[in-house]
Amino acid sequence: MIWILILISTSGMIFLGVFSILEHKEKILPNIRILICCGILNFVFGIGCYKSVSRYSVLIFTGTLIAAVMMDILWQEIYEFVWIISIVCSSVSLFTSGVLTIEIVLSLAMFFTVQEVVMKNVYGKADCHAFCSCAMTMALKGMALEFYAVHMFISWAILVISQLITGNIDGRLKLKKPVPMIPFIALGFFAVFVHFS
């Protein structure tokens, strides 16, 4: 059964990526490496999803997150339906899995408020949605607010280190030119989710 879920999730992610490439009137071949890398990553990550309760949601989430990574790298524009699919799947899984506790509900409420009210002024709305989607998926594994904070820290640390290496940060620690942030959010998520779950 797990192989079927991985196949559905990976092909769904590739469909989102191909759909967005076609809509932007770009050719698929120049971006085929991104599609293949994302497909392999989703396939490998999917093998680790062993709990039947959260299996569907985690696989669908990784598919949509990787599609968002592709969209962000290519155009710095993410379709809203990517986050809708992710949040709806995670919500259904949270309510049916039995892992929902008061601590997790409060953690998600606080984190969503910080992201969607405060942090939307620091970075884009799509980045806020990505952090919230990741938090909901982490909640499926019983992770609460401290894990969401660690995820944010790791994502920012990877971003800062990579931009220091490329010389894209000025003396005031501001980016000289904007870069897609969702790839860094995805890397941070995979690091936290795999290491702590």
Side-chain angles (χ1 to χ4, degrees):
M1 184 64 170
I2 185 72
W3 297 105
I4 294 169
L5 294 174
I6 293 167
L7 183 63
I8 290 169
S9 174
T10 303
S11 59
M13 175 274 303
I14 290 173
F15 169 77
L16 288 175
V18 170
F19 171 80
S20 49
I21 287 169
L22 292 176
E23 175 161 320
H24 284 266
K25 307 292 187 272
E26 295 188 24
K27 294 183 179 172
I28 293 175
L29 286 179
N31 302 303
I32 200 76
R33 285 178 296 181
I34 296 173
L35 290 169
I36 291 171
C37 288
C38 290
I40 290 170
L41 179 59
N42 197 35
F43 181 81
V44 170
F45 183 73
I47 292 171
C49 298
Y50 52 87
K51 292 184 180 176
S52 60
V53 174
S54 60
R55 181 181 295 167
Y56 299 97
S57 179
V58 172
L59 287 174
I60 291 169
F61 168 73
T62 56
T64 56
L65 180 63
I66 293 169
V69 167
M70 287 191 292
M71 293 175 197
D72 204 21
I73 288 170
L74 294 171
W75 317 287
Q76 294 77 55
E77 175 188 353
I78 317 297
Y79 296 124
E80 291 291 328
F81 72 82
V82 169
W83 309 123
I84 292 169
I85 291 169
S86 174
I87 288 175
V88 166
C89 287
S90 296
S91 298
V92 169
S93 292
L94 276 171
F95 284 113
T96 59
S97 65
V99 298
L100 207 56
T101 63
I102 296 294
E103 180 190 9
I104 287 176
V105 170
L106 291 174
S107 293
L108 286 171
M110 286 172 49
F111 191 72
F112 272 53
T113 303
V114 168
Q115 286 298 323
E116 301 293 344
V117 175
V118 179
M119 299 307 283
K120 72 176 183 181
N121 301 316
V122 177
Y123 41 73
K125 281 174 54 177
D127 301 326
C128 296
H129 299 336
F131 275 121
C132 290
S133 297
C134 290
M136 289 187 75
T137 302
M138 287 189 273
L140 285 169
K141 297 285 188 177
M143 299 179 185
L145 189 58
E146 63 272 17
F147 292 98
Y148 316 153
V150 168
H151 173 219
M152 280 186 68
F153 174 77
I154 290 172
S155 301
W156 278 100
I158 296 169
L159 172 69
V160 169
I161 291 167
S162 70
Q163 297 311 299
L164 280 170
I165 290 169
T166 59
N168 192 31
I169 291 186
D170 62 19
R172 294 175 298 160
L173 291 179
K174 293 202 172 191
L175 293 175
K176 294 176 184 174
K177 67 176 190 176
V179 294
M181 187 169 173
I182 291 180
F184 300 102
I185 295 171
L187 284 172
F189 167 77
F190 286 121
V192 173
F193 194 80
V194 170
H195 182 73
F196 293 108
S197 64

